[in-house]
Amino acid sequence: MTVSTHGSPPAPVAPSDHRSRALLLDLDGVLLDTRPVMRKAWQRVQEIHGVALPFRDYERHLGREFGDIMQRLGVTDTEAVRRTYEAESVATAHLAEEFAGIVETLHAFVAADWRLGVVTSKHVDRAAPLLARLGCPFATIRTPAGAGRTKPAPDPLLLALVDLGVDPAAAVYVGDMAVDQESAARAGVPYVHAAWGYGQPTAPDPETAASPKELLSLLLPAKQLVEGSTV
């Protein structure tokens, strides 16, 4: 999937000081490494529902809502499969780990007066406990449980910005999958690809950060960093 038909969003820049700024982030593959959890949950689906598709087939659709993925994989009885997947995800949530440097990076953005938000295709009952572990002040969390269409539609990003009172041009979305990039392009929100995540960027080539801490040098002027910061 490419985003060329939607045009290239503006390059991410640090907006001028008089405007509110927002950093929106995906969850899986950006904030937390949840691949071990997803792998276990998919194995449980295979065992209970006789689904023969390997985890890699599921993984290549990450970023989309679960029902959308099931439809693309041709898996029937979606709601029963969803219940199994979600129950196992909750049971194995302890296997998820935050990416190195992500918490310190988020706090540096908060200190620089950026508003934080999460836009994820993970349902809220599974997303909220994981995000709580990070201990960061997310001002909004948009999941498939809310209004609007899911990624790659622009709706969740735009609704998150309505929550925050921030213009699309004064925001940045950090994702790791093609659907994240497409959603940002369709919303007119500058996009940064998290190279530490699970997917590859598509054309047109976006800005890329090799690590969470690299987001700081990409988006924050040196004068905005707090003296003595660990990042």
Side-chain angles (χ1 to χ4, degrees), residues 9-13 29-30 172-177 181 190-219:
V13 295
V30 174
V172 175
Y173 185 45
V174 183
D176 69 318
M177 301 298 292
Q181 187 174 347
Y191 175 76
V192 174
H193 184 79
W196 64 89
Y198 305 143
Q200 297 297 320
T202 61
D205 292 338
E207 292 279 2
T208 299
S211 67
K213 290 184 179 181
E214 194 168 301
L215 287 173
L216 297 173
S217 58
L218 186 63
L219 299 175

Side-chain angles (χ1 to χ4, degrees), residues 37-218:
V37 178
M38 293 186 288
R39 190 186 301 277
K40 286 283 190 181
W42 190 249
Q43 288 173 350
R44 192 63 173 160
V45 166
Q46 291 175 312
E47 294 168 1
I48 292 182
H49 300 281
V51 175
L53 297 169
F55 176 70
R56 65 176 177 273
D57 286 2
Y58 176 86
E59 187 177 32
R60 64 191 175 91
H61 295 293
L62 291 180
R64 294 181 178 274
E65 195 275 330
F66 188 82
D68 186 3
I69 297 177
M70 293 303 97
Q71 183 177 17
R72 289 171 180 273
L73 293 178
V75 175
T76 58
D77 202 6
T78 298
E79 290 310 308
V81 172
R82 184 197 300 274
R83 288 192 293 271
T84 298
Y85 186 92
E86 293 187 347
E88 188 66 15
S89 294
V90 170
T92 58
H94 61 281
L95 298 177
E97 295 185 358
E98 65 190 52
F99 287 104
I102 192 66
V103 171
E104 296 88 347
T105 296
L106 294 176
H107 280 294
F109 277 98
V110 171
D113 205 27
W114 286 57
R115 300 176 186 179
L116 300 185
V118 175
V119 177
T120 176
S121 292
K122 188 182 293 296
H123 279 253
V124 65
D125 55 345
R126 290 186 289 128
L130 292 172
L131 293 173
R133 289 166 46 176
L134 297 175
C136 293
F138 297 109
T140 184
I141 301 172
R142 281 286 170 174
T143 76
R149 299 166 296 173
T150 58
K151 295 186 293 185
D155 305 27
L157 288 176
L158 294 175
L159 289 168
L161 293 177
V162 170
D163 295 340
L164 299 177
V166 175
D167 291 341
V172 175
Y173 185 45
V174 183
D176 69 318
M177 301 298 292
V179 292
D180 299 323
Q181 187 174 347
E182 181 179 348
S183 186
R186 292 169 65 179
V189 175
Y191 175 76
V192 174
H193 184 79
W196 64 89
Y198 305 143
Q200 297 297 320
T202 61
D205 292 338
E207 292 279 2
T208 299
S211 67
K213 290 184 179 181
E214 194 168 301
L215 287 173
L216 297 173
S217 58
L218 186 63

